[in-house]
Amino acid sequence: MKIAILGAGHAGCAVAGDLSIKGHDVTLIKTSNSMHNENFNYLLKNNGKITLRENEVTKTTRINKITKDLSELSKAEIIIVYIQTTYHEDLIRKMKDYIQDEQIILFNPGYFSTAYMLKHGIKHNITIVEAQSSFIDCRIIEPGVINVGFRNVRNPLGVYPNENLSIARNKLDNLGYPFKYLSSTVEAALHNPNLIVHTVGAIMSIPRIEKTNGDYVMYYEVFTPSVWNILEKLDEEKMNVLEKLGFERISYVEACKYRNSLDDTLDAKEVFFKYAMMPNRSKGPVSVRSRYITEDVPEGLVMLESIAKQLGIKTPVCTALIEIASAALEMDMRKNGRTPERLGKKNIEKILEDRKQKVAEA
């Protein structure tokens, strides 16, 4: 299949290389000059040559096209968006003129970007998909070389509109990843693990980040019993919102276990800590102004808080974390964060109604 990947960072490059190894025709599109320029320039100069190292196995392939030209989107059957969610709305504005009928647009992760697609008038008969987390955990270790840490054993996806699920599923399953299909993109948005683990972990790590200049590993160090209590309280607020919207109360650790383990008998919390203590876990965050805070607080926590407010649900821990992050970084995390007003209340209602219709038909 012809696949376009927007975003030439760690995950975008890894998935572009992985899909190329599988025989797909992949175009990798860089959307900014903010980071990973050395790697991108290497790919340009070497005709898309890329190497994936995984479990002591090395595979080298070539990505068919490396470019910054968004018009290439019009040629793709599936478009995968792998940029920070902070920039999704701006990207949607730029890409909408190249969208074609029957395309699948997959945001990984989404944080409810389906609503932004509706907001900006994507009129074509397309399918919008949101993932919870990257299919492949990885790092660019040198230009053209990516180290793969692990792969999710399941990748939950939300699909909009639900009437397109059958056709979209046939195409998506051809990508070769173990996809599982949720009842709505809302579930995928609220089960983005970064909403819970990045925000609590990074905010509670602020002194450690600054004291060590980032020479530490958050997953190894921060989730002590007391910090874990904060995580569970935030997670409870998220589940209250899910329940009010008509979805099942699924905890962070249960969602993590579902993505990362096929052994249903394991304790979910143990699965998380096994994942957290993996020996190839990368250092960081290396800066207080990392995406763990600057992205996941305004795009994740602000979204959760504002939707909860609309539903009449109190979120004291979520609100406190937003306030602490805003004070520590001396910036208003709510100013440009995701809210029903910014996403569009009618768009949110439309997505929820699509899910209600599916449930009613079932």
Side-chain angles (χ1 to χ4, degrees):
M1 284 193 298
K2 293 186 72 66
I3 301 161
I5 296 180
L6 285 160
H10 300 292
C13 287
V15 171
D18 192 58
L19 290 172
S20 297
I21 290 169
K22 293 175 180 177
H24 295 287
D25 182 348
V26 180
T27 296
L28 180 65
I29 304 174
K30 198 172 194 303
T31 61
S32 75
N33 294 316
S34 61
M35 57 181 68
H36 304 301
N37 294 316
E38 184 181 6
N39 181 69
F40 184 75
N41 290 334
Y42 174 90
L43 296 176
L44 276 175
K45 292 176 182 177
N46 290 275
N47 298 316
K49 181 183 177 182
I50 192 166
T51 298
L52 272 62
R53 294 177 180 171
E54 181 176 7
N55 298 326
E56 300 182 357
V57 175
T58 298
K59 294 182 179 180
T60 298
T61 187
R62 291 190 184 277
I63 301 168
N64 184 50
K65 182 170 287 188
I66 309 295
T67 184
K68 293 184 178 180
D69 184 1
L70 287 177
S71 70
E72 290 291 331
L73 295 175
S74 63
K75 304 172 185 177
E77 296 174 70
I78 298 176
I79 298 169
I80 304 176
V81 179
Y82 255 125
I83 71 166
Q84 287 189 29
T85 53
T86 311
Y87 307 109
H88 279 189
E89 185 172 18
D90 285 341
L91 179 63
I92 289 166
R93 290 191 186 100
K94 295 174 183 176
M95 63 188 279
K96 68 178 186 178
D97 291 338
Y98 306 111
I99 300 301
Q100 305 294 317
D101 283 332
E102 312 300 331
Q103 285 182 322
I104 296 171
I105 320 293
L106 192 162
F107 293 91
N108 195 347
Y111 270 154
F112 226 154
S113 288
T114 305
Y116 278 145
M117 290 288 285
L118 299 179
K119 174 181 176 179
H120 290 287
I122 308 297
K123 303 295 186 182
H124 297 281
N125 178 26
I126 63 169
T127 303
I128 307 165
V129 181
E130 293 196 33
Q132 293 180 6
S133 67
S134 180
F135 315 141
I136 302 175
D137 183 82
C138 58
R139 283 292 180 272
I140 299 169
I141 56 175
E142 62 183 82
V145 181
I146 297 177
N147 185 63
V148 175
F150 70 94
R151 297 170 183 257
N152 290 346
V153 300
R154 299 185 184 97
N155 293 284
L157 303 178
V159 176
Y160 177 89
N162 272 302
E163 65 182 14
N164 290 358
L165 176 58
S166 179
I167 295 173
R169 185 171 186 165
N170 288 336
K171 288 188 176 182
L172 289 167
D173 285 347
N174 283 330
L175 297 182
Y177 299 112
F179 292 136
K180 300 294 179 181
Y181 295 89
L182 304 169
S183 65
S184 171
T185 56
V186 178
E187 283 184 284
L190 290 174
H191 282 302
N192 180 340
N194 301 342
L195 171 70
I196 303 295
V197 73
H198 277 187
T199 56
V200 172
I203 291 168
M204 299 308 295
S205 293
I206 286 174
R208 187 78 174 126
I209 296 169
E210 293 182 327
K211 190 69 173 177
T212 66
N213 292 317
D215 187 20
Y216 93 117
V217 180
M218 184 189 82
Y219 282 92
Y220 288 176
E221 298 187 34
V222 74
F223 295 108
T224 62
S226 298
V227 173
W228 191 260
N229 289 340
I230 297 171
L231 184 149
E232 288 191 330
K233 290 296 184 182
L234 175 63
D235 195 39
E236 184 177 348
E237 293 172 4
K238 176 209 74 181
M239 288 190 288
N240 290 342
V241 170
L242 279 165
E243 185 175 43
K244 188 78 172 187
L245 291 173
F247 298 97
E248 186 179 353
R249 292 179 68 90
I250 299 175
S251 69
Y252 165 76
V253 289
E254 287 294 341
C256 176
K257 173 184 171 181
Y258 186 75
R259 289 188 300 268
N260 296 333
S261 176
L262 292 172
D263 188 348
D264 294 333
T265 66
L266 294 176
D267 178 79
K269 189 173 177 180
E270 289 180 7
V271 171
F272 167 78
F273 279 101
K274 182 179 179 182
Y275 159 83
M277 302 304 286
M278 290 174 63
N280 55 3
R281 177 67 60 194
S282 299
K283 287 184 179 180
V286 298
S287 166
V288 172
R289 294 183 180 274
S290 76
R291 64 183 179 88
Y292 285 33
I293 296 179
T294 60
E295 176 184 5
D296 292 310
V297 173
E299 305 303 307
L301 291 186
V302 171
M303 178 186 70
L304 177 64
E305 178 193 56
S306 59
I307 292 175
K309 186 177 181 179
Q310 292 282 323
L311 297 171
I313 296 173
K314 294 182 179 180
T315 56
V317 173
C318 181
T319 297
L321 289 168
I322 295 168
E323 294 292 347
I324 292 169
S326 296
L329 274 68
E330 297 184 306
M331 59 186 293
D332 183 355
M333 293 289 173
R334 294 184 181 88
K335 184 177 180 181
N336 296 309
R338 296 197 181 198
T339 63
E341 291 75 21
R342 206 162 279 122
L343 291 165
K345 292 181 181 179
K346 290 184 178 179
N347 301 324
I348 294 174
E349 291 169 2
K350 191 172 182 180
I351 296 163
L352 289 170
E353 187 59 37
D354 181 68
R355 190 258 182 177
K356 288 178 183 178
Q357 184 176 345
K358 178 184 179 181
V359 171
E361 291 173 352

